Amino acid sequence: MGGGGYVTAVVASRTQQNLFYARTDVGGAYRWNASTGRWVPLLDFVSEDDVGLMGTESLALDPRDSAVLYVLAGTPYFSNGKTVVMRSTDYGATFSRITDVSAQFRVNGNGMGRSNGEKLQVDPGNSNVLYAGSRNNGVFRSTDAGASFTRLASLPVTTTPNENGISFVLLDATSVANGAARRIFVGVSRFGSVGPNLYRSDDGGATFTPVANAPASVMPQRAVLAGDGNLFITYANGAGPHPGPDSLTPREPMNDGAVWKYNVAAGTWTNVTPTGLTTGFSGVTVDPGNPQRVLVSTINTWAAQGNNWGDHFFLSTNGGGSWVDVVQRGFALDTDGVSWIGENSIHWASSIEFDPFDTRSAWVTSGNGVYRTRNIDATPATWTFAVRGLEETVPLGLVSVPGGPLLTTIGDYGGFRHTDIDAYAPVHTPRLSSTPGLAVAPARTSVVVRAGANQIYRSADTGLTWTQVPAQATTNLVALSADGSTLLLTDGSSVTYRSTDFTSATPTWTTVTGLGNNGARPEADPVNAAKFYAYDPAAGRMLVSTDGGASFTAAGALDSWGAPLIRAAPGREGDVWVALRGGGLARSTNSGTSFSKLARVNSCSAVGFGRTMSGASYPTVFIWGSVDGGRRGIYRSTDAGANWLRINDDAHQFGGPGNAQFIAGDMNTEGVVYMSTVGRGVVYGAPVATP
């Protein structure tokens, strides 16, 4: 798909050419491979239990050893808020140490303030010393390369009203004495009216004092030290990257900010904000060979940017005395084959970085990916959407159409029609934003419906063209009868509506009875257009309709709190499978009247079907779960669940099926399987020849 999610920072190595890392809010961390021009994912080994670690808060590179990488990761609403510091000694290919620091401090890779500067830093004088800023308990230090951490009680900061805590930690390499940096700067995500938001230590963290005369009406976002002893700091009136909730006191509108220069030796401040601008600033970088050459980015600014509206970037060659608006001077976009990005802009530009070894080149991050220019001095400067290998969409739906394309729906950008899963695909047009609803009529596969943002579109040609469906009901989820004549609309928790004339200009909608407020998601029988099924997770029962979805009645009993997304075996009437999470996997062959469990399946979060394999007589079954007490993963059965084969390995767990909780086989290619993730897009596997 290409990008699609928020890349919160690019971190450049100053010791090894062409070594760059990217962190994302929900899709893990990546390393740039300059020889292939692709990003390499580093956290695909993360298990389903640890899915929260896909939210990466900060990255740190060891300035004394280019192969060493640290990752600070955690997400409060996943994995019980588990927070870890990971250490790699092979550029992130593997992580030899993962230290659980949850009992001491927490982070939030997908929280407000994820746009801020790096909270994790390696001491330039001692590779064993590591500093970590937290959201709830100040700053911590490790003296054993991340194996353990101790809180710096000398810094009088714990949490902040916006719960972002520390916005950055910065160590001054010129202050190294006796094998450790003596000077440390710490940014705090709060207004000066709440408390000091910039601290300084000149004794290696033994004591911290507020920096006098620091700007108080805005919050520090990022900071960088120039070679001439000046500290450049960007500010905005919020944690960012967008306005905070109105419930915050004081409010954080994220519509004002500044750029300041602080002379470290003299302790003096100079306002170097580009003239006439009242907007937030975030990204800041300084040419390592020329301390007068500084590049900054706005954030949450919607100014003219080519044919769109987004952030601007400003270049100074005199230490901030004057600036050139790089975007206004001339902006060109190279989509690199990702057609959908041409309708979007570079926005939430939290991080902007010179290439330390070629400072004509620069990277900038965005809410939809990462961009790179080879020559920032050019007019126009061309910004390439540099996301090959970086997939950070949040999948919401997927259908493989027999004899047709693969259709996907995702968060934020709608979804795609794929005729080649190894090529960038066109986006669904007209576009929706987040699109959780997607259905194909099982026995009339040209008919497709998608829904999101309280809008519904239908297609009669497998998604080539779309027509809007008028509906009074608010809806997110859809189901189509086998013959495509009946459409059910639901939000999955309250009311479901039905129409048998949804192709007309003024469809008639009636309320479906028998589903109630139970989170049930209707699934059509693939053969009989009069039948629909829905699993009631709270009551632990199957609900069945035999009147085309007009009403549902209780049928077979099941375990409670299984996965609401049930599946009917293609081409078979009444063959229904239900993933029951810790309760395993259940199957009915009598249209939901009764169920039996598959004895060998211990747990199952998702089930789906693919093309029947050669020599088999039943569609291929795929699950995310565990079999015979084995490790949780992706399993395949070609004999209706009698036998199973695990087809992924521990290095490719992707955090499990994420938000959408789906797994689905390809209906046109034997053995190909797709799975949703929390933020790594749709992952797929294909059979390979055995040695």
Side-chain angles (χ1 to χ4, degrees), residues 342-653:
E343 301 177 21
N344 295 269
S345 67
I346 305 174
H347 64 281
W348 294 357
S350 53
S351 167
I352 197 163
E353 291 291 332
F354 282 127
D355 180 338
F357 294 87
D358 179 5
T359 55
R360 295 172 304 171
S361 178
W363 299 84
V364 65
T365 63
S366 172
N368 49 35
V370 60
Y371 298 75
R372 186 185 196 183
T373 181
R374 295 286 188 176
N375 187 358
I376 200 166
D377 297 317
T379 304
T382 298
W383 297 87
T384 300
F385 192 45
V387 296
R388 290 188 179 272
L390 194 156
E391 296 286 346
E392 209 214 345
T393 56
V394 177
L396 299 177
L398 178 146
V399 175
S400 174
V401 180
L406 178 75
L407 303 176
T408 59
T409 55
I410 64 172
D412 296 331
Y413 296 103
F416 304 86
R417 185 180 191 272
H418 311 261
T419 55
D420 179 353
I421 58 176
D422 291 317
Y424 294 125
V427 71
H428 298 311
T429 305
R431 269 176 62 173
L432 297 174
S433 54
S434 294
T435 307
L438 177 66
V440 172
R444 190 182 171 195
T445 54
S446 59
V447 179
V448 187
V449 171
R450 58 186 172 96
N454 297 325
Q455 296 182 72
I456 309 161
Y457 285 90
R458 62 176 173 83
S459 172
D461 53 16
T462 65
L464 280 170
T465 60
W466 298 90
T467 303
Q468 189 163 8
V469 177
Q472 295 177 340
T474 59
T475 181
N476 287 317
L477 303 172
V478 291
L480 279 169
S481 62
D483 62 1
S485 64
T486 300
L487 173 62
L488 301 186
L489 308 178
T490 181
D491 61 9
S493 61
S494 57
V495 64
T496 300
Y497 297 91
R498 173 180 184 264
S499 176
T500 57
D501 62 351
F502 64 93
T503 60
S504 70
T506 56
T508 301
W509 298 97
T510 58
T511 302
V512 174
T513 61
L515 283 181
N517 304 327
N518 53 25
R521 295 185 58 173
E523 171 85 354
D525 187 278
V527 176
N528 189 334
K531 289 184 180 179
F532 286 88
Y533 312 98
Y535 167 62
D536 182 341
R541 62 181 181 177
M542 180 60 59
L543 306 174
V544 179
S545 173
T546 57
D547 56 8
S551 63
F552 284 77
T553 57
L558 289 156
D559 290 359
S560 300
W561 306 119
L565 185 61
I566 63 175
R567 297 295 193 188
R572 284 164 166 75
E573 181 176 352
D575 195 344
V576 185
W577 297 60
V578 183
L580 295 171
R581 298 196 170 106
L585 177 63
R587 178 191 181 193
S588 171
T589 56
N590 55 13
S591 299
T593 301
S594 62
F595 285 85
S596 59
K597 287 190 178 181
L598 281 80
R600 297 180 61 187
V601 179
N602 310 114
S603 68
C604 182
S605 300
V607 59
F609 297 93
R611 182 182 176 92
T612 303
M613 298 280 280
S614 299
S617 59
Y618 192 84
T620 305
V621 185
F622 296 97
I623 65 169
W624 173 268
S626 62
V627 174
D628 295 334
R631 295 291 297 271
R632 206 178 312 169
I634 302 174
Y635 289 81
R636 181 187 76 196
S637 174
T638 60
D639 54 11
N643 295 283
W644 297 91
L645 173 70
R646 188 185 180 195
I647 56 174
N648 75 315
D649 57 27
D650 288 350
H652 300 88
Q653 300 183 77

Side-chain angles (χ1 to χ4, degrees), residues 36-71:
T36 63
R38 296 179 62 87
W39 293 97
V40 178
L42 304 181
L43 301 186
D44 284 352
F45 68 89
V46 169
S47 69
E48 185 178 24
D49 287 340
D50 285 343
V51 64
L53 305 186
M54 299 299 280
T56 49
E57 180 98 305
S58 186
L59 305 176
L61 281 61
D62 186 342
R64 300 165 66 89
D65 186 345
S66 299
V68 174
L69 168 72
Y70 291 90
V71 178

Side-chain angles (χ1 to χ4, degrees), residues 57 72 104-107 119 132-140 151 157-159 163-167 169:
E57 180 98 305
L72 176 62
Q104 295 178 283
F105 64 92
R106 300 294 178 99
V107 298
K119 303 184 181 190
S134 75
R135 287 179 176 256
N136 66 330
N137 207 13
V139 173
F140 287 74
R151 184 178 182 274
V157 177
T158 53
T159 189
E163 299 182 350
N164 187 32
I166 305 302
S167 55
V169 177

